[in-house]
């Protein structure tokens, strides 16, 4: 068997997976695209192992390690996606990125800590406006 056939198939699989990672917005489809890319790598490892006639079968051994890593990755990734879906109600990556950058959840007025409660509102905030969350992040990093 020629080396070109599995190499071309692996390149097509990898390009399809790369397109899926870059173009998809659903986190589960992104994980599936990463799996396609890992399968393309596995195909190349086995094809080059057969083509080089390696006596130790290093390519096949590395393929087994890659399969084990991929199984762990998909298990942990799917658990994270399900936990985020339960909390946020969506697995859309763009919406999750937008919710991480909002200032409303991190904005606390001046003089109000998270544990203290101020009179007037049940959530402990007064009507004053304080520093934004981005300002607090910048102060925390300096």
């Amino acid at each position: 068997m020629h080396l070109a056939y599995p190499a071309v198939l692996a390149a097509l699989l990898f390009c399809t997976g790369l397109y899926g990672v870059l173009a998809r917005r659903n986190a589960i489809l992104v994980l599936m695209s990463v799996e396609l890319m890992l399968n393309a790598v596995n195909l190349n490892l086995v094809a080059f192992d057969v083509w080089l006639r390696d006596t130790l079968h290093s390519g096949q051994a590395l393929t087994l390690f890659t399969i084990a890593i991929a199984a762990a990755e998909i298990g942990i990734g799917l658990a994270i996606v399900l936990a985020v879906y339960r909390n946020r109600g969506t697995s859309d990556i763009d919406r999750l990125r937008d919710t991480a950058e909002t200032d409303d959840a991190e904005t606390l007025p001046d003089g109000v800590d998270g544990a203290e409660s101020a009179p007037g509102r049940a959530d402990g905030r007064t009507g004053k406006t304080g520093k934004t969350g981005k300002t607090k992040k910048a102060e925390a990093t300096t």
Side-chain angles (χ1 to χ4, degrees):
M1 175 171 70
H2 296 285
L3 182 63
Y5 297 132
V8 168
L9 179 62
L12 290 175
L13 274 176
F14 192 84
C15 290
T16 304
L18 186 64
Y19 172 75
V21 166
L22 296 176
R24 298 293 177 186
R25 296 181 184 203
N26 190 350
I28 294 175
L29 291 177
V30 170
L31 287 174
M32 289 175 61
S33 299
V34 170
E35 290 295 321
L36 270 178
M37 292 191 310
L38 287 174
N39 284 333
V41 170
N42 288 339
L43 183 60
N44 267 334
L45 283 172
V46 171
F48 276 97
D49 182 53
V50 170
W51 184 64
L52 294 173
R53 301 189 195 286
D54 188 16
T55 56
L56 296 176
H57 298 292
S58 303
Q60 293 179 16
L62 285 174
T63 298
L64 290 176
F65 284 119
T66 307
I67 290 171
I69 297 287
E73 174 257 335
I74 198 69
I76 292 171
L78 197 56
I80 291 171
V81 168
L82 288 175
V84 167
Y85 182 78
R86 285 182 186 161
N87 289 336
R88 309 280 179 161
T90 184
S91 63
D92 188 10
I93 294 174
D94 289 335
R95 287 188 184 169
L96 296 177
R97 192 175 300 138
D98 291 341
T99 58
E101 296 173 357
T102 59
D103 292 335
D104 295 338
E106 297 174 352
T107 303
L108 291 176
D110 293 333
V112 175
D113 292 335
E116 298 176 3
S117 66
R121 289 181 62 176
D123 63 353
R125 294 191 218 171
T126 61
K128 301 176 191 175
T129 58
K131 298 176 183 176
T132 62
K134 289 184 182 178
T135 308
K136 287 183 182 180
K137 284 182 188 177
E139 288 177 357
T141 57
T142 57

